Amino acid sequence: MRTDQILTRPERVFARLDREPERPAHLQTPQMSRHRVVLLGSTLAFYLAIVVAVLTTSWLVRLDWQVMFFRPYEQWPQLHAFLDYLVVLGQRGPTAVMVAAWLGWRSWRQHTLRPLITLGVALLLLNITVGAVKLGLGRLGPHYATQIGSAELFAGGDIFPSGHTANAVVTWGILAYLASTTVTRRVLSVVSAVVSLSVGATTVYLGTHWVSDVLLGWSAGLLIMLALPWFEPLIAGAEARVFALRERLRRRLETGSVPVPVAAVLTPMLSAGGKWQLRLATEPAGPQEPATATVPAAAGQAHAPVPRPAAHVSGRPHLIRSERTPVTPAGSRRPAHTERPAAGRAAARPATGG
């Protein structure tokens, strides 16, 4: 006869959380190969060329103005409603939440924090690099341009490079970067490329970015994705520190050096009955004994422990509301005075002779 205990859902959750972190053997960390270094150098040269072309008000700035005067949103107005939703795939907030949810599930399944830490490092690099160039160049967008043919630089804007485009490259490209198989990586690379190209073209269609903004946004996002292998030691070190902190906290809980309120929250243990309950780390295991108190004894005698009286518990079963005695309706509880004459009417006096 099998006596295996069937675990409930909360028990399975805590059991999975309590497992040691393990990294699947088939997951390979991307390395900074010669091919990747060549791509990184080429992308960096393209990035600098776009910046120089805008700073010198070259043919690229003239192309920006020609596309702006063309007004694609007026040429194809039937696409406007659809592209308004498509451009959301480049917004940092919604995309970061969706991708973080997926990578969080992968971290849960693979028992590793690398996917979430890699996403955090990539977004941090994106905010620092793209934000610094935006604020440093201060370019105005097409809707706020003031002088025809001008690059609109150093005017207090924050449009160059395109944040939507760079964010689409990094957020969706991180899925391909963290893929576990070669086929999956190739498929996700194509998907992320299509999404980032579509988002960048959509911003030009809507008139919110210049063409040069989108080109620089693609380059900025691709530079971050190509440079990520250099940050793999940092990611591995951060993961190791997090797990080491968890182990130290677990040892402190086992030794009882954690304060009692914290231990009560962080130490879920499985009781004998199969239900989860919180037990303090400092509470001794075993049957509970009645509490005792020490009282002064007679002279020459040692202090003897006297058991405290147990709380009185009535043996009468608790009655439900329908079985209880009806409550007297609200109102005066004084008995009615039948002999008192009614108000406003004089009492009859006995007749006297005379």
Side-chain angles (χ1 to χ4, degrees):
M1 182 179 64
R2 298 184 58 182
T3 59
D4 297 341
Q5 182 180 4
I6 300 178
L7 299 179
T8 62
R9 182 178 296 272
E11 294 170 357
R12 291 196 300 268
V13 169
F14 281 104
R16 181 176 292 276
L17 283 175
D18 194 56
R19 291 179 59 180
E20 292 295 331
E22 57 184 8
R23 181 180 175 84
H26 65 278
L27 293 182
Q28 299 294 331
T29 303
Q31 302 295 327
M32 204 66 186
S33 61
R34 180 178 301 179
H35 177 68
R36 185 180 288 268
V37 172
V38 171
L39 287 177
L40 179 64
S42 304
T43 306
L44 181 60
F46 183 71
Y47 184 96
L48 296 177
I50 295 174
V51 174
V52 172
V54 174
L55 288 174
T56 58
T57 317
S58 65
W59 61 271
L60 186 56
V61 176
R62 293 193 297 270
L63 177 63
D64 289 340
W65 282 96
Q66 290 174 2
V67 175
M68 194 272 285
F69 285 134
F70 182 69
R71 292 182 174 85
Y73 55 88
E74 293 183 357
Q75 302 296 327
W76 302 285
Q78 64 275 10
L79 300 176
H80 201 289
F82 170 73
L83 295 180
D84 272 341
Y85 290 101
L86 180 63
V87 79
V88 177
L89 296 178
Q91 290 185 0
R92 194 163 307 162
T95 55
V97 170
M98 290 186 291
V99 174
W102 168 255
L103 295 181
W105 182 82
R106 282 195 56 187
S107 297
W108 175 272
R109 296 289 297 176
Q110 297 173 356
H111 311 290
T112 174
L113 295 176
R114 178 175 172 263
L116 289 177
I117 298 178
T118 305
L119 175 64
V121 170
L123 293 180
L124 181 61
L125 292 175
L126 174 68
N127 291 333
I128 293 175
T129 56
V130 174
V133 177
K134 278 176 174 287
L135 298 179
L137 296 179
R139 191 181 191 188
L140 294 176
H143 292 316
Y144 303 96
T146 57
Q147 185 178 357
I148 297 176
S150 172
E152 302 293 337
L153 294 172
F154 310 108
D158 57 350
I159 208 72
F160 183 71
S162 171
H164 273 69
T165 307
N167 183 72
V169 174
V170 172
T171 306
W172 301 110
I174 203 71
L175 298 179
Y177 180 83
L178 296 171
S180 57
T181 62
T182 304
V183 176
T184 306
R185 182 178 294 109
R186 291 175 180 175
V187 172
L188 291 178
S189 298
V190 173
V191 172
S192 61
V194 171
V195 171
S196 58
L197 290 173
S198 302
V199 170
T202 300
T203 59
V204 175
Y205 168 87
L206 297 175
T208 57
H209 280 288
W210 306 100
V211 175
S212 55
D213 297 343
V214 175
L215 294 177
L216 197 66
W218 282 329
S219 304
L222 188 57
L223 283 175
I224 295 174
M225 297 306 303
L226 291 174
L228 268 182
W230 280 337
F231 295 89
E232 284 295 338
L234 176 64
I235 295 171
E239 182 183 22
R241 284 191 292 271
V242 172
F243 284 130
L245 178 62
R246 190 191 70 166
E247 290 302 321
R248 288 196 300 268
L249 181 59
R250 178 180 296 177
R251 295 193 200 100
R252 293 182 62 184
L253 288 173
E254 292 175 355
T255 57
S257 59
V258 178
V260 171
V262 179
V265 176
L266 299 179
T267 315
M269 299 182 64
L270 187 62
S271 65
K275 297 182 179 180
W276 287 97
Q277 66 179 6
L278 294 178
R279 177 178 295 175
L280 301 181
T282 57
E283 180 183 349
Q288 297 182 356
E289 298 179 356
T292 59
T294 303
V295 296
Q301 297 181 2
H303 293 280
V306 179
R308 297 178 181 175
H312 174 71
V313 180
S314 175
R316 184 176 54 186
H318 182 72
L319 300 179
I320 60 177
R321 189 173 184 85
S322 59
E323 299 175 355
R324 298 175 185 173
T325 306
V327 181
T328 305
S332 176
R333 298 187 179 183
R334 298 177 60 185
H337 295 275
T338 55
E339 300 178 358
R340 179 178 298 180
R345 187 173 57 183
R349 295 183 178 179
T352 57

